Amino acid sequence: MTKKLTISICKQIAKLSFKIEELKDDGVGNEISALEDKIGDIESDLESAIDELNDSRDEALDEDGLTEAAKEKITKAFDTKIEKAKEAADRKIEKIRDEIDKAEELQSYLDDTMAALMSTAEELAGNMEYEFDAYAA
C-alpha cells in the first residue's frame, strides 16, 4: 500500500470517527437526556395528580352526614384511582426505560465502532511507518 493511499485512508477514518462521535454525543446522548427528562415529567405529573386526588378525597370526606361505610367507600374509590394512575405512569416509564436501554446499546455499539476504527488507523500508520523504515534502509 502506498504512503499516499494509507494517509488518505487514515484521513477518511478520522472523518468517520468524528461523525460517529458527533452522532453518539449529539444524537444519541441528547435522545437519552430527553427521555430521562420525560420520565421526570411523568413522575412530576403523577405527584400532582395524586395530590389533587387526595385533596378531592379530603373534600368528599368532609361532607356532613357521611356514615363510616360511605367514608370507607369514598376512600377506597380514591385509593383505586391513585393506584391506577401509578400503574399507568409505571407503564409509561417502563416503555421509556426500554427506549433508553436501546439508545445506550446504540451508544455502546458506536463506542465499539470508534475503537475498531482507531485501532485500524493505528495499525495502518504503524504499517506505513514500518514500510517507510524498510524503504529508507
Side-chain angles (χ1 to χ4, degrees):
M1 189 177 307
T2 67
K3 183 177 178 181
K4 202 173 198 177
L5 178 60
T6 302
I7 291 171
S8 176
I9 291 171
C10 287
K11 283 181 181 179
Q12 292 303 315
I13 288 172
K15 287 179 185 177
L16 183 57
S17 294
F18 178 75
K19 290 292 184 185
I20 289 172
E21 185 70 26
E22 195 175 74
L23 173 65
K24 187 180 78 121
D25 291 342
D26 295 342
V28 180
N30 287 343
E31 179 67 16
I32 290 171
S33 180
L35 291 170
E36 288 170 345
D37 289 347
K38 214 173 181 182
I39 288 174
D41 292 345
I42 290 169
E43 290 171 338
S44 178
D45 290 347
L46 175 62
E47 286 178 31
S48 295
I50 289 172
D51 288 344
E52 287 179 26
L53 287 168
N54 283 331
D55 290 345
S56 295
R57 181 196 63 214
D58 292 343
E59 287 176 22
L61 291 173
D62 284 343
E63 292 293 320
D64 291 334
L66 291 176
T67 65
E68 279 304 310
K71 288 180 180 181
E72 283 182 33
K73 195 172 187 178
I74 290 169
T75 300
K76 191 177 236 182
F78 277 97
D79 287 347
T80 300
K81 287 181 182 182
I82 289 171
E83 192 58 38
K84 285 183 180 183
K86 286 179 182 179
E87 289 171 0
D90 287 345
R91 284 191 302 274
K92 287 179 184 178
I93 289 171
E94 188 59 36
K95 286 180 182 178
I96 293 170
R97 287 206 170 115
D98 288 344
E99 291 178 43
I100 289 173
D101 289 344
K102 288 176 187 174
E104 287 173 342
E105 284 177 27
L106 176 58
Q107 212 168 25
S108 177
Y109 174 76
L110 291 172
D111 284 336
D112 293 346
T113 302
M114 286 267 304
L117 284 171
M118 296 311 291
S119 176
T120 302
E122 289 170 2
E123 188 177 321
L124 284 171
N127 287 344
M128 184 177 72
E129 189 176 311
Y130 174 76
E131 288 175 11
F132 182 74
D133 288 346
Y135 179 75

